[in-house]
Amino acid sequence: MKSVFSAPGDYIYFKSQVPLHRIPIGTKQWRYYDFGPKVVTPLICLPGTAGTADVYYKQIMCLSMKVGYRVISVDIPCVWNHQEWIQSFEKFLDAIDVHHIHLYGTSLGGFLAQLFAQHRPRRVKSLILSNTFLETRSFAAAMPWAPFVSWTPSFLLKRYVLTGIRDGPHEPFIADSVDFVVSQVETLSRDELASRLTLTVDSASVKPLLLSESFITIMDTNDYSAIPQQLKDQLSERYPGARRAYLKTGGDFPFLSRPDEVNLHLQLHLRRVGLEAQPELVQSIPKDGTGGGPSKENDKEDRDDEQKDNGGNPESNSEESQPSPSAPESSESHGLDEQLLSNAEIHFIDQKDSIILKPSAMSMNQHSAAAGILLRSTWEFFIFSLLPLYVDSLYIYSNNAWKLRQLV
């Protein structure tokens, strides 16, 4: 892990375009991003123990800003048992006037998504589960000090959470995803960390769901994950009729390290379950109050509350209040997402999805540019190779001509 973290350019652009909402519901504070047309049933993203609402910014940038889906990314509030989570999440949906939802959960978020689908089956239209599990028994056994987690100091909780993230040499994109998540862990309070660890070890298991397995997609990485393979196999055995989406690499946070592949699988899932995007409505969405979010007046109050929470420091909200800059040209996923999603054809073969990428005008232009570079390089090579020979011959000719002139 790097000692110094610098926010990616596309994340800075995201923060300038999508407002952060904070709403109190009872004693719980909900922090979330909401972008996309209100008329579209939202895809709600639930993070794992180390995640926040910010970790899904690449999904919002692609699926909401470009494709036309409504994506809501939430923080898990401070709840201390699973029944409290179900009730609190339902109140949150009522507060933002959302009834039916599609859930995308990773790790702990995937487990909580299954619990909500079990107890509120009428509200959940489909599930996308990534690197997650069915029961908490193994986590409780590995954490004997679980009864004292609520009294544990913040620095020990952060250390425990970070030890679950694999350290060592990574691919560049995976290393960047780890650095980003570590920076988000540093923003979590002691109560938030203790609450999430409590939800991880509190005794519970997912019972059979009323949701048809054809409306479930399991998306896992094949390299490594903090979730033991045995638990991921249990999940696959529970939903034999679910669609499978395997990523060759990606680590614990494929939504950050492999956003192009994850976004494609998410879009395939949403199309398959009958949810159509509304790209024509994206341009009409106001940047200061997007679909499903609070009104402009509530947004202003939320920003004031956030400024108070940050000790009145005006810099804490500068990214949301300043004029929106143009998208950075160096953003990796910004251009790749658009290219992949625009060139992908979806086919259904034997009840399984396959993605076929076809050549585009962009790839043809790239070949033309490569040919031009090769031709120019060859020309330069000949120039610089023959130039010394030409100079030498010119010198010899002039020298011989001078001697000949003296003899004459």
Side-chain angles (χ1 to χ4, degrees):
M1 301 178 189
K2 301 177 183 177
S3 58
V4 178
F5 172 76
S6 178
D10 56 349
Y11 176 64
I12 296 175
Y13 174 75
F14 163 80
K15 293 286 286 183
S16 71
Q17 297 294 302
V18 183
L20 172 66
H21 300 300
R22 291 173 181 263
I23 57 172
I25 302 177
T27 59
K28 311 301 177 188
Q29 182 82 3
W30 282 85
R31 176 181 176 274
Y32 67 101
Y33 294 99
D34 184 355
F35 201 92
K38 282 186 177 181
V39 296
V40 179
T41 303
L43 171 69
I44 299 186
C45 304
L46 301 177
T49 305
T52 64
D54 298 67
V55 299
Y56 294 110
Y57 79 91
K58 292 180 181 287
Q59 282 63 56
I60 296 178
M61 289 184 68
C62 173
L63 298 178
S64 293
M65 293 183 175
K66 301 176 185 177
V67 182
Y69 288 109
R70 182 182 178 186
V71 180
I72 302 175
S73 177
V74 304
D75 264 359
I76 300 175
C78 291
V79 293
W80 301 97
N81 59 68
H82 300 111
Q83 189 61 35
E84 187 181 7
W85 151 253
I86 295 168
Q87 295 174 355
S88 181
F89 187 52
E90 186 172 34
K91 291 178 181 178
F92 167 72
L93 296 179
D94 293 337
I96 63 174
D97 195 23
V98 169
H99 184 68
H100 297 117
I101 58 174
H102 301 268
L103 286 175
Y104 169 41
T106 61
S107 188
L108 174 62
F111 177 70
L112 297 178
Q114 294 175 84
L115 286 180
F116 189 78
Q118 173 188 331
H119 292 275
R120 301 294 187 270
R122 294 184 178 181
R123 304 196 77 154
V124 180
K125 292 301 181 182
S126 71
L127 288 174
I128 307 104
L129 308 173
S130 180
N131 292 338
T132 189
F133 48 91
L134 288 172
E135 49 86 20
T136 61
R137 182 174 50 190
S138 59
F139 297 105
M143 191 175 170
W145 50 280
F148 311 102
V149 67
S150 59
W151 302 336
T152 306
S154 177
F155 75 94
L156 288 179
L157 294 176
K158 290 181 179 179
R159 180 179 298 178
Y160 181 80
V161 170
L162 294 178
T163 55
I165 303 176
R166 178 174 174 176
D167 199 359
H170 295 294
E171 298 178 33
F173 290 115
I174 296 179
D176 291 341
S177 71
V178 171
D179 290 339
F180 186 87
V181 172
V182 170
S183 71
Q184 294 299 307
V185 172
E186 295 299 329
T187 67
L188 297 175
S189 67
R190 186 186 70 85
D191 288 342
E192 288 173 323
L193 290 167
S195 167
R196 297 178 185 196
L197 289 174
T198 300
L199 292 176
T200 304
V201 299
D202 190 25
S203 179
S205 61
V206 178
K207 303 297 188 295
L209 305 181
L210 296 179
L211 183 67
S212 172
E213 292 181 359
S214 62
F215 288 82
I216 300 175
T217 294
I218 299 176
M219 179 165 47
D220 288 335
T221 54
N222 285 337
D223 48 357
Y224 58 85
S225 169
I227 305 301
Q229 186 61 42
Q230 179 183 359
L231 297 184
K232 294 198 290 185
D233 292 340
Q234 289 178 0
L235 186 78
S236 298
E237 293 172 1
R238 170 65 66 86
Y239 308 117
R243 301 298 176 97
R244 300 294 193 275
Y246 294 109
L247 307 179
K248 185 176 180 180
T249 61
D252 288 303
F253 317 111
F255 43 87
L256 287 169
S257 60
R258 294 288 181 268
D260 307 316
E261 299 176 52
V262 170
N263 292 338
L264 279 171
H265 286 302
L266 290 176
Q267 189 174 348
L268 278 171
H269 171 89
L270 295 176
R271 287 181 179 178
R272 181 168 54 80
V273 300
L275 183 63
E276 295 296 332
Q278 300 290 339
E280 67 278 1
L281 298 180
V282 173
Q283 298 297 329
S284 63
I285 299 174
K287 294 179 182 178
D288 56 352
T290 54
S295 63
K296 294 182 180 179
E297 181 179 356
N298 289 337
D299 283 350
K300 184 176 183 297
E301 293 176 357
D302 293 338
R303 286 193 294 270
D304 293 340
D305 293 339
E306 185 177 358
Q307 184 172 346
K308 293 178 182 178
D309 293 339
N310 288 281
N313 184 4
E315 296 180 358
S316 60
N317 294 325
S318 60
E319 292 179 353
E320 297 175 13
S321 59
Q322 65 186 6
S324 302
S326 59
E329 296 180 359
S330 60
S331 172
E332 295 91 357
S333 65
H334 200 69
L336 289 174
D337 288 346
E338 186 174 8
Q339 180 182 356
L340 285 172
L341 289 171
S342 62
N343 296 335
E345 287 185 348
I346 303 173
H347 298 269
F348 298 94
I349 303 175
D350 297 332
Q351 299 296 322
K352 294 183 179 180
D353 300 331
S354 64
I355 304 174
I356 300 178
L357 298 179
K358 58 183 180 180
S360 63
M362 179 179 294
S363 61
M364 295 175 64
N365 291 337
Q366 290 176 349
H367 288 303
S368 300
I373 293 173
L374 179 60
L375 182 61
R376 185 168 60 253
S377 301
T378 305
W379 177 249
E380 292 175 354
F381 171 76
F382 279 108
I383 289 177
F384 288 109
S385 298
L386 297 176
L387 185 59
L389 297 176
Y390 174 75
V391 173
D392 290 341
S393 61
L394 183 62
Y395 173 76
I396 294 172
Y397 172 78
S398 61
N399 191 26
N400 292 336
W402 174 256
K403 292 180 180 180
L404 181 62
R405 189 180 304 170
Q406 288 179 338
L407 291 175
V408 175

